[in-house]
Amino acid sequence: MVALLCMADRTHSQLIDLMPEKCGSTLQNKDFEETLDRVADYKGPNFEAGGNMLQGTYVPKAEIWEHDYDPIYVLLRAINRRDFQASIDRFAEFARQTDKLKDAKVPWAPFRIPGPVHQGFSDPRKLLHCRTMHSVLFTILYKAVNDPTVSEMIMSLCVYLLEMSIRYPVSETLSGKELLLVESGYVNNEVYDLDFKDWFNSNFIFTNLQHTISKLILPSDGCDSDRMEVDNYTDLNAVEMASMDSPTYELAVGEETDNSEEQRALPEIVAPLSLTAPDTSQALVPVLSGSQMIVAQSDLASSPTSSSEMMAITDSLSFLQSSASEQMALSLPESSSNSMTPTYGKSSMVVHRKPNQLKLGDVLRAIQSGSCSSSESDASELKALPPSSAHSDYVVVNESILSLLLKLHSKLSSKPNSYVPINERVGSNQDSGSELKIGNGPHFISLLLDKICQMSIRNARFVQEIRNVLWSSQPSTSSSHVDAEKDALDKEERRRRARERQEKLMAEFASRQKAFMETSDDTIINEDETIDSESTASSSMDDSVYSYSKKYNCVICGQTTPSSESKPVGLVCLLQASSVLGHSMRNVENFVLPCSEEERSNLRCVEKRAAFVDRRIDELGRNFSDISRLMAVNIGYEGGIHIWTCGHHLHLDCHKSYIQSLKTQQSLHTHRQQSLAVDKGEYSCPLCRQLANTVLPIMSDVGEIAAVVKSQPSNHVTLASDLLNLINSDPPTPQKTSNLMKAMGSIMEDMANATYPKYKFCSSSQCAESLFLFISSVARTNLELEIVQRGGVLGLESGDLISRPCFMPLLHVLGMHSKMLNVRPHSQLWPQITGLNADNELHSVSLCEKEVPLLLRDVTALLLQLVLTLPMHIDRAYYSCIARMLYNVVYTQAVAALTCRMSEDQRLSFKAQAATSTSLTSLVSVVGEVIDTLEHCALYVQDEDMDAHTRAKKWTLSEVDSELRRMCLPFLRIAALLRQHIYDEDVRTFDDRSQEFDRLVRFVGIGDNEDESSTSASCLTWITSEPTTVLRGWCYDFIVFVNVAQIAARNLLDQHVTWHQPRLLRLPHNYDRIFQHYHQRPCLCCKRIPKDPSICLLCGRLVCFKEKCCWKQRSVGEAITHSVVCGAGTAMFLAVNSSIIIVVRGKRACLWGSVYLDGYGEEDRDLKRGKPLFLSEERYRLLERQWLTHSFDHTNKRWIWHKDSL
């Protein structure tokens, strides 16, 4: 189980499937769960950064990585080599995340020491106590020190084998010959290449660790090439390294010949033991022909040898050593004295030509045979041995296993004398925790050397001698170990200074860039004259604004240019139909997926916004003229146009060429399944590869914030009069032949084609007002969708911050087309709203009986219509004036609707209180005036006709004010968000939802009161001396309609409804309820039980999948038809028989995943495992979030073309 978890995080079912079965075991499940809890931690279902869903998995615990992870066992269990490598990578990641690895180097694999072997088996570790194995390990270490191509995996395995050899006890005793050689301190300095069994005198590891191999005898030119494996190259770098320090042992061996009987031929090696690549030499050093120079590189030196600590040096052994020294001295020239004393100096490590000499084995055999005298005759007998001509080349090595370990430690640490014995370390911890197998190469070599020193005092002294010899001129590293913390602090200080220098350079670069932009500005708009106090408070900081053409970087050609009439620049955008706003509800308590008839009946009572708006538009169409109705509402709650951008720009000419190249590619690969509908304008952003289907052109003045129309010092009356003049004035006529205007016409066609025909217009006549309704509704849809994506509240700190860089270019395009339509419905409406030039004729019945009364109009639609028809960059004072005047209308509409919910006694009470008030600036006065005007018609119903709850409600002033604030909030949110986009300002954030009204009225410029809280009536602004006349005029127009259609008037007046956030159906926690209720439920269309029933998560309707029984005309599947009707082409279906969510987006569909998981966080697709499934709230919220933000196209990549037959 540990091996499986170390390869990858596993789900519960994967572990069960991959675990081997135990025959005859009935407690496997119990043992499985117990073991799993002990070795792994559960990681619940999660999501990746890109939105991909992850199932619940088990991850190894930290102690598993530290103590139980064994790469050898993982390698045996892994099916593929990549699984083993994945475990190594995961271990390295764990070491870095837990700060177990002090540096950034790659850690070594933590090979574990195996436990004892059962007595019934033979321990394979006996091979570790073999001189041949030690010779192979010596070869690997030598190559690791001198050859940079040796991998760290080979080094780690070599160190691991050495560690096991010293930990595994020796089970055999030394033979008499081995004991004599060990006790005599004899060193076989000369070894034959590849003759590994004769490199060391014994199989005893602690003696062989100290054994120094001085010279490696190489074959001569006459040697059989089949018996050797050599590399045919000369290492010139080794020649250059010939002057480095290295101790040389000058052996006191005479010029004697080898004993022919003891001459050993090179062994025939079929599988070399040097663990090198097949194309490399198996020899210790590369060899060339005899006439060429053979070089071995060595940058460090070895140390003198010593005998085993397990054998005491006796007098007899001393005698043998002295006798041997005498015999060796006889065969040496005069210059070779102090034969056994190591000398340290310069060594070229170049292979020497040497005369015939006697092997040390012959000398030692002569001593053992009794010829230990120093007579001349014995010496002559030794010199008379036949000469050897088989080997005449040798390489100076002067290394032992311990010296190689020390050198390798220094090489991997990148500093000399890096190893510090454990007794010299400051604050060293010799507990078992210090042997934690997490670290790089120096860490594991240090553990090995520490273990060697602890188990052998002589080896510890030998290590110290080597360090003294190799780095006698180097300062001790113990002081550097003491100052490690200081070095770390210095390193951190250097990093801090580097960051400061980088920040300074970046700041200097930014300042130079800013200075360049300022010097390249074309013109500067100077500050105008001082305006009134309101205008000063709103725009004094921005009266002097640099006017420049903003430049954009094209992601296709890479040029940075401004957008112009001849060469326009556009935004990469995606247009799609949306019905998210239409799924807002009045009441969400009963909006659950029905799993019983009672829940189904409750679901039918849920009223959605789309149905509410449709009924309202139909009611207005039955009672008023078509043109007036079109200007009184907005559409787009079903099938509205949502626009999204990735934020990248491109030239429209480049886009045209890009689309043409995509068409050419598709024509050349017609046999492939195409992922883009290029013929319908689809393409991928050339930079981020996000789906797009249009380019939103940018006007040259989009980046300018300065007002084109600035207000002069004036009061509210003058501002309202100036606005009336702007409304009646003719807009500038654009050049219809320019490339920019052609692009704007093209984007409007794309918007019309993005939705379905039934959602484009609410009138059969294609008049200018119908087109204007479509244009204003596009702006309304995108503003309200942004509020929905922010959580329904504007300015809340915990809300999501949605950046929409495409809204201002969109508003410019919509405004340009609105001005081209030349629709002026507000020439008479604006005086009616403000009270300017009010007379009796304006409120006559003959003029207003077919016009929608002001109290029944959608004031938010009026705001957008005014903004689109006026110049785009008007002064903030003008925008605040518009918002103030429209707020009066919204407030009056809310008061009129609220009085209909009061009993007769409460209305009389408010009317009596208003009699004492003389102005319309208080709550009581406005409510009383509205009641006094409307009570003369049949608007109010009798108390006995009211429901019990409404009749029993007792309204207080605070409750009335709170309700009016709530009813005015939707208008304030749109007005504030529109101002934020136009003037590039941000709403001040707040913590509590109760502060939203106060912050918004001050941001929009409606409230003059700077206090933190204000009443809803204190924000009213009347610019006439007789505000009562204006208010009564609005009510009289409404009374005319009330007298004609009382019920319709009462229904249409109730338009300020609190709509809850759009949401998907709430699902039951247990999936079994859904399965039991729906898997045998008949379809409502064909009355048959579908084979693959699916449920719409927007409305709860059961549809047939993969069947033709419910196909409509033109062979369109029921699910596709329902996605258009219910979600404007976007719908989510829950497949009952598989628990999978299927998402339909336009002409595409994909398998989204499952929102029901088992107890271990896993999906059970197609219900094959039969596990109980439970709702994953996190996944369902993700699905709902992707639906609200229209991000299915960006988060899901595996789409298919459903071809209307899903």
Side-chain angles (χ1 to χ4, degrees):
M1 185 178 292
V2 170
L4 292 174
L5 291 173
C6 290
M7 297 178 197
D9 295 343
R10 307 283 187 179
T11 63
H12 189 271
S13 60
Q14 288 175 345
L15 287 173
I16 292 180
D17 295 338
L18 295 175
M19 287 292 293
E21 297 182 359
K22 295 182 180 180
C23 298
S25 176
T26 58
L27 301 177
Q28 182 175 358
N29 293 335
K30 180 180 178 180
D31 297 339
F32 179 86
E33 298 296 339
E34 181 181 354
T35 306
L36 184 59
D37 293 339
R38 189 169 67 252
V39 303
D41 292 325
Y42 177 72
K43 184 173 67 175
N46 206 341
F47 311 101
E48 293 180 346
N52 295 329
M53 297 178 296
L54 303 177
Q55 302 188 63
T57 55
Y58 286 89
V59 297
K61 292 184 177 181
E63 55 266 23
I64 297 299
W65 289 114
E66 295 176 359
H67 304 291
D68 296 331
Y69 167 58
D70 192 348
I72 296 295
Y73 192 77
V74 173
L75 183 60
L76 296 175
R77 290 288 302 171
I79 300 176
N80 300 313
R81 180 74 180 188
R82 62 175 178 268
D83 295 332
F84 170 73
Q85 185 60 41
S87 69
I88 298 294
D89 298 338
R90 284 162 57 84
F91 173 77
E93 186 66 23
F94 163 78
R96 295 188 183 95
Q97 291 180 354
T98 56
D99 294 333
K100 302 290 185 181
L101 193 63
K102 300 304 180 182
D103 50 28
K105 295 184 178 180
V106 179
W108 277 15
F111 299 109
R112 309 293 175 182
I113 301 299
V117 179
H118 190 272
Q119 59 184 2
F121 299 94
S122 179
D123 197 336
R125 286 176 294 181
K126 292 180 179 180
L127 293 175
L128 297 175
H129 296 290
C130 172
R131 67 187 72 186
T132 303
M133 174 64 75
H134 301 165
S135 302
V136 174
L137 296 179
F138 181 93
T139 304
I140 296 173
L141 289 175
Y142 186 87
K143 289 197 173 185
V145 171
N146 297 278
D147 189 357
T149 61
V150 178
S151 66
E152 292 198 9
M153 177 60 70
I154 295 179
M155 300 182 197
S156 63
L157 287 170
C158 181
V159 173
Y160 172 59
L161 292 175
L162 282 173
E163 183 181 5
M164 282 199 301
S165 65
I166 65 173
R167 288 178 179 268
Y168 179 67
V170 181
S171 59
E172 299 179 357
T173 59
L174 298 177
S175 64
K177 179 180 178 181
E178 293 175 345
L179 180 62
L180 178 62
L181 294 175
V182 170
E183 292 178 344
S184 65
Y186 162 70
V187 180
N188 186 16
N189 297 88
E190 302 171 346
V191 297
Y192 296 96
D193 194 15
L194 297 180
D195 195 5
F196 292 135
K197 65 179 181 297
D198 289 338
W199 282 23
F200 295 99
N201 298 327
S202 68
N203 295 326
F204 192 56
I205 181 61
F206 287 100
T207 301
N208 296 343
L209 288 174
Q210 307 171 28
H211 186 94
T212 300
I213 297 179
S214 179
K215 299 177 182 179
L216 180 69
I217 301 175
L218 304 176
S220 62
D221 297 341
C223 231
D224 187 4
S225 60
D226 295 336
R227 306 284 296 273
M228 302 166 53
E229 295 184 24
V230 297
D231 294 333
N232 297 322
Y233 71 94
T234 301
D235 192 350
L236 299 178
N237 294 329
V239 179
E240 298 177 1
M241 299 295 293
S243 60
M244 300 189 64
D245 293 338
S246 179
T248 304
Y249 295 89
E250 298 180 1
L251 302 180
V253 182
E255 307 296 329
E256 302 176 5
T257 60
D258 296 338
N259 190 343
S260 59
E261 296 180 359
E262 297 295 332
Q263 177 67 41
R264 299 182 180 272
L266 293 177
E268 295 184 2
I269 300 176
V270 179
L273 300 177
S274 55
L275 300 181
T276 57
D279 57 345
T280 60
S281 173
Q282 308 301 322
L284 184 61
V285 293
V287 181
L288 294 177
S289 62
S291 61
Q292 294 174 319
M293 182 174 292
I294 304 170
V295 183
Q297 178 181 349
S298 177
D299 57 345
L300 299 173
S302 62
S303 56
T305 60
S306 62
S307 61
S308 172
E309 63 175 352
M310 301 174 60
M311 302 298 177
I313 302 177
T314 61
D315 295 338
S316 59
L317 292 178
S318 300
F319 170 75
L320 290 175
Q321 292 178 357
S322 62
S323 301
S325 299
E326 293 176 359
Q327 294 293 335
M328 294 176 187
L330 296 176
S331 60
L332 285 174
E334 292 290 331
S335 60
S336 296
S337 59
N338 301 325
S339 59
M340 293 300 292
T341 305
T343 61
Y344 305 95
K346 304 295 182 180
S347 175
S348 64
M349 300 303 296
V350 180
V351 178
H352 299 276
R353 283 286 177 189
K354 71 169 193 169
N356 297 332
Q357 63 180 23
L358 179 66
K359 293 179 61 176
L360 290 180
D362 298 334
V363 176
L364 209 50
R365 282 190 294 273
I367 295 174
Q368 296 173 3
S369 63
S371 57
C372 297
S373 64
S374 57
S375 62
E376 198 69 22
S377 60
D378 294 334
S380 62
E381 289 180 8
L382 292 174
K383 291 182 179 180
L385 292 174
S388 174
S389 60
H391 300 86
S392 58
D393 298 336
Y394 69 89
V395 175
V396 178
V397 177
N398 286 331
E399 299 289 1
S400 66
I401 294 179
L402 286 178
S403 66
L404 291 174
L405 287 174
L406 289 172
K407 291 180 180 181
L408 185 59
H409 190 286
S410 298
K411 176 183 177 181
L412 297 178
S413 301
S414 301
K415 59 181 179 180
N417 200 12
S418 57
Y419 172 71
V420 180
I422 191 171
N423 56 353
E424 298 182 14
R425 298 175 194 166
V426 178
S428 62
N429 182 16
Q430 302 185 20
D431 301 337
S432 60
S434 62
E435 297 186 4
L436 187 65
K437 288 185 172 294
I438 298 180
N440 54 6
H443 172 75
F444 283 90
I445 297 176
S446 297
L447 292 180
L448 176 60
L449 291 173
D450 291 345
K451 195 68 176 178
I452 293 174
C453 295
Q454 290 175 359
M455 298 180 67
S456 173
I457 298 176
R458 290 190 178 275
N459 281 331
R461 294 175 183 174
F462 192 78
V463 168
Q464 186 61 41
E465 292 175 4
I466 296 176
R467 294 178 63 241
N468 293 335
V469 171
L470 293 180
W471 298 289
S472 58
S473 60
Q474 300 287 342
S476 176
T477 57
S478 60
S479 59
S480 62
H481 185 80
V482 175
D483 298 336
E485 185 176 356
K486 181 179 178 180
D487 295 341
L489 293 176
D490 294 342
K491 190 175 182 180
E492 184 64 28
E493 179 67 18
R494 291 193 298 269
R495 290 179 179 177
R496 185 185 63 82
R497 292 177 181 176
R499 286 195 300 266
E500 291 178 354
R501 288 194 300 269
Q502 184 179 8
E503 293 175 358
K504 184 177 179 180
L505 291 174
M506 294 300 296
E508 182 179 358
F509 176 76
S511 62
R512 291 181 180 180
Q513 186 180 24
K514 182 178 180 182
F516 173 77
M517 294 298 297
E518 291 177 353
T519 55
S520 63
D521 290 340
D522 297 334
T523 58
I524 299 179
I525 302 179
N526 297 322
E527 184 177 359
D528 291 340
E529 298 179 359
T530 305
I531 59 176
D532 56 0
S533 58
E534 176 191 64
S535 177
T536 302
S538 62
S539 60
S540 59
M541 295 177 59
D542 297 316
D543 286 338
S544 179
V545 180
Y546 293 106
S547 177
Y548 63 90
S549 297
K550 186 176 180 180
K551 295 182 179 181
Y552 307 93
N553 182 30
C554 177
V555 296
I556 295 180
C557 66
Q559 297 181 1
T560 302
T561 59
S563 181
S564 60
E565 293 282 340
S566 59
K567 192 174 183 180
V569 178
L571 270 171
V572 178
C573 292
L574 175 66
L575 298 175
Q576 55 180 303
S578 172
S579 290
V580 172
L581 295 176
H583 289 280
S584 303
M585 294 158 289
R586 278 193 176 187
N587 190 0
V588 296
E589 284 77 10
N590 297 323
F591 194 64
V592 297
L593 181 65
C595 294
S596 63
E597 294 302 326
E598 181 182 358
E599 292 177 347
R600 188 170 300 277
S601 61
N602 293 334
L603 181 62
R604 296 191 187 100
C605 300
V606 175
E607 183 179 18
K608 292 191 175 182
R609 190 175 184 179
F612 175 85
V613 173
D614 289 342
R615 289 197 306 270
R616 181 177 175 81
I617 293 176
D618 294 341
E619 194 70 40
L620 289 173
R622 286 192 294 267
N623 294 277
F624 303 101
S625 64
D626 194 39
I627 293 179
S628 178
R629 175 178 67 98
L630 295 176
M631 302 304 298
V633 295
N634 272 143
I635 57 175
Y637 300 98
E638 278 188 317
I641 304 300
H642 174 264
I643 186 168
W644 175 91
T645 179
C646 60
H648 298 132
H649 302 83
L650 44 77
H651 293 110
L652 269 67
D653 295 339
C654 296
H655 169 256
K656 184 178 179 180
S657 302
Y658 180 50
I659 293 295
Q660 186 61 38
S661 65
L662 292 179
K663 291 181 179 179
T664 303
Q665 291 178 6
Q666 286 197 359
S667 63
L668 296 177
H669 303 88
T670 56
H671 60 283
R672 296 181 181 178
Q673 179 68 29
Q674 305 296 334
S675 60
L676 296 175
V678 183
D679 55 335
K680 296 183 179 179
E682 288 187 351
Y683 64 96
S684 297
C685 174
L687 186 60
C688 64
R689 312 309 299 173
Q690 296 287 357
L691 179 65
N693 56 12
T694 189
V695 177
L696 181 61
I698 300 176
M699 296 187 66
S700 57
D701 59 344
V702 166
E704 301 178 6
I705 306 174
V708 176
V709 180
K710 304 186 70 67
S711 64
Q712 302 298 324
S714 59
N715 52 26
H716 296 301
V717 178
T718 307
L719 290 173
S721 300
D722 293 343
L723 285 172
L724 180 60
N725 295 331
L726 289 173
I727 292 172
N728 294 327
S729 62
D730 294 329
T733 303
Q735 299 180 1
K736 297 184 179 181
T737 59
S738 65
N739 294 332
L740 181 61
M741 293 307 301
K742 293 179 180 178
M744 289 190 173
S746 177
I747 186 65
M748 288 303 301
E749 293 180 2
D750 293 341
M751 290 183 188
N753 296 329
T755 188
Y756 295 88
K758 60 176 295 186
Y759 300 126
K760 291 182 181 179
F761 310 105
C762 64
S763 175
S764 58
S765 60
Q766 299 296 325
C767 56
E769 286 77 10
S770 179
L771 297 176
F772 188 45
L773 172 62
F774 177 78
I775 292 172
S776 61
S777 298
V778 171
R780 173 77 172 269
T781 300
N782 284 270
L783 288 173
E784 293 213 17
L785 283 174
E786 183 174 351
I787 294 175
V788 168
Q789 294 167 8
R790 289 173 179 257
V793 181
L794 196 64
L796 190 64
E797 285 188 351
S798 60
D800 296 332
L801 297 179
I802 305 297
S803 177
R804 295 185 61 81
C806 62
F807 183 77
M808 279 310 297
L810 173 65
L811 196 65
H812 276 75
V813 172
L814 298 178
M816 182 61 65
H817 283 275
S818 299
K819 297 175 180 64
M820 292 173 61
L821 292 174
N822 199 19
V823 177
R824 300 180 182 179
H826 309 102
S827 299
Q828 294 182 352
L829 191 61
W830 182 250
Q832 183 183 1
I833 295 173
T834 59
L836 298 174
N837 302 325
D839 51 28
N840 295 330
E841 293 182 0
L842 184 62
H843 308 295
S844 63
V845 176
S846 60
L847 292 177
C848 299
E849 60 181 357
K850 287 299 181 181
E851 297 290 329
V852 178
L854 190 59
L855 294 184
L856 298 183
R857 289 178 178 266
D858 189 347
V859 182
T860 304
L862 293 178
L863 173 64
L864 292 173
Q865 292 168 6
L866 289 171
V867 170
L868 290 174
T869 53
L870 290 172
M872 193 58 60
H873 292 303
I874 59 175
D875 193 84
R876 292 178 176 84
Y878 288 128
Y879 185 83
S880 297
C881 180
I882 295 174
R884 285 174 180 270
M885 298 299 102
L886 294 181
Y887 178 78
N888 296 341
V889 181
V890 173
Y891 191 81
T892 305
Q893 290 176 346
V895 169
L898 185 59
T899 57
C900 294
R901 292 150 54 185
M902 296 180 180
S903 63
E904 185 176 359
D905 294 338
Q906 288 180 315
R907 291 196 295 268
L908 292 176
S909 175
F910 277 104
K911 181 180 177 180
Q913 296 178 26
T916 60
S917 179
T918 58
S919 62
L920 292 179
T921 57
S922 65
L923 174 63
V924 174
S925 61
V926 176
V927 174
E929 188 66 31
V930 171
I931 294 174
D932 183 60
T933 307
L934 296 180
E935 67 179 358
H936 301 291
C937 65
L939 178 66
Y940 300 129
V941 297
Q942 301 296 325
D943 292 349
E944 55 272 12
D945 296 333
M946 294 182 178
D947 58 88
H949 177 73
T950 304
R951 186 170 58 251
K953 175 67 177 177
K954 302 298 181 182
W955 293 92
T956 63
L957 285 177
S958 61
E959 291 176 344
V960 171
D961 182 70
S962 178
E963 184 67 11
L964 292 176
R965 291 159 67 100
R966 179 194 62 77
M967 298 170 73
C968 295
L969 265 178
F971 166 77
L972 292 176
R973 291 189 184 115
I974 296 296
L977 187 58
L978 191 58
R979 173 167 178 153
Q980 176 178 333
H981 284 298
I982 294 177
Y983 302 105
D984 196 17
E985 300 173 341
D986 291 328
V987 181
R988 290 180 57 189
T989 58
F990 49 87
D991 300 328
D992 191 2
R993 284 177 174 262
S994 61
Q995 303 175 1
E996 184 181 11
F997 180 88
D998 301 320
R999 295 293 176 87
L1000 293 183
V1001 293
R1002 285 195 298 273
F1003 178 76
V1004 176
I1006 294 176
D1008 294 329
N1009 191 358
E1010 294 298 331
D1011 297 337
E1012 285 296 325
S1013 61
S1014 58
T1015 62
S1016 57
S1018 63
C1019 300
L1020 294 172
T1021 303
W1022 306 98
I1023 64 174
T1024 62
S1025 57
E1026 294 294 334
T1028 305
T1029 305
V1030 177
L1031 189 145
R1032 288 183 176 271
W1034 300 345
C1035 295
Y1036 288 154
D1037 290 342
F1038 179 61
I1039 290 174
V1040 173
F1041 175 63
V1042 172
N1043 294 332
V1044 175
Q1046 175 187 359
I1047 298 177
R1050 191 179 294 113
N1051 293 334
L1052 292 174
L1053 187 62
D1054 186 21
Q1055 59 175 316
H1056 297 283
V1057 179
T1058 301
W1059 299 104
H1060 294 274
Q1061 282 280 95
R1063 58 187 301 182
L1064 301 180
L1065 286 166
R1066 298 300 94 181
L1067 301 180
H1069 181 68
N1070 197 328
Y1071 186 75
D1072 186 64
R1073 288 194 60 197
I1074 299 178
F1075 185 79
Q1076 295 296 336
H1077 184 75
Y1078 285 98
H1079 82 287
Q1080 291 294 331
R1081 189 175 183 84
C1083 174
L1084 297 178
C1085 183
C1086 64
K1087 308 302 180 181
R1088 300 177 182 177
I1089 297 178
K1091 296 180 181 179
D1092 193 2
S1094 300
I1095 308 168
C1096 176
L1097 296 180
L1098 295 175
C1099 63
R1101 180 183 174 89
L1102 183 69
V1103 298
C1104 295
F1105 256 53
K1106 304 177 183 178
E1107 298 183 54
K1108 299 183 179 181
C1109 57
C1110 299
W1111 280 22
K1112 301 295 182 182
Q1113 62 277 10
R1114 294 175 299 161
S1115 300
V1116 179
E1118 184 186 10
I1120 306 303
T1121 303
H1122 182 77
S1123 68
V1124 176
V1125 174
C1126 187
T1130 302
M1132 293 134 286
F1133 297 96
L1134 173 62
V1136 176
N1137 292 337
S1138 63
S1139 74
I1140 300 299
I1141 302 296
I1142 301 171
V1143 176
V1144 177
R1145 257 288 301 127
K1147 297 296 183 180
R1148 297 180 175 90
C1150 75
L1151 296 179
W1152 187 86
S1154 178
V1155 296
Y1156 280 92
L1157 308 176
D1158 61 10
Y1160 300 100
E1162 297 182 53
E1163 297 180 357
D1164 188 9
R1165 297 199 174 190
D1166 300 328
L1167 308 180
K1168 292 181 179 180
R1169 293 188 290 116
K1171 298 288 185 179
L1173 301 179
F1174 307 97
L1175 179 66
S1176 173
E1177 297 289 348
E1178 293 79 9
R1179 287 197 171 195
Y1180 200 52
R1181 281 195 294 268
L1182 176 65
L1183 177 66
E1184 186 176 79
R1185 183 66 182 170
Q1186 292 179 359
W1187 170 62
L1188 292 176
T1189 56
H1190 305 83
S1191 57
F1192 284 127
D1193 293 303
H1194 317 304
T1195 56
N1196 301 290
K1197 303 302 181 182
R1198 298 181 179 179
W1199 295 93
I1200 62 170
W1201 299 101
H1202 56 68
K1203 301 178 181 179
D1204 295 334
S1205 60
L1206 188 64

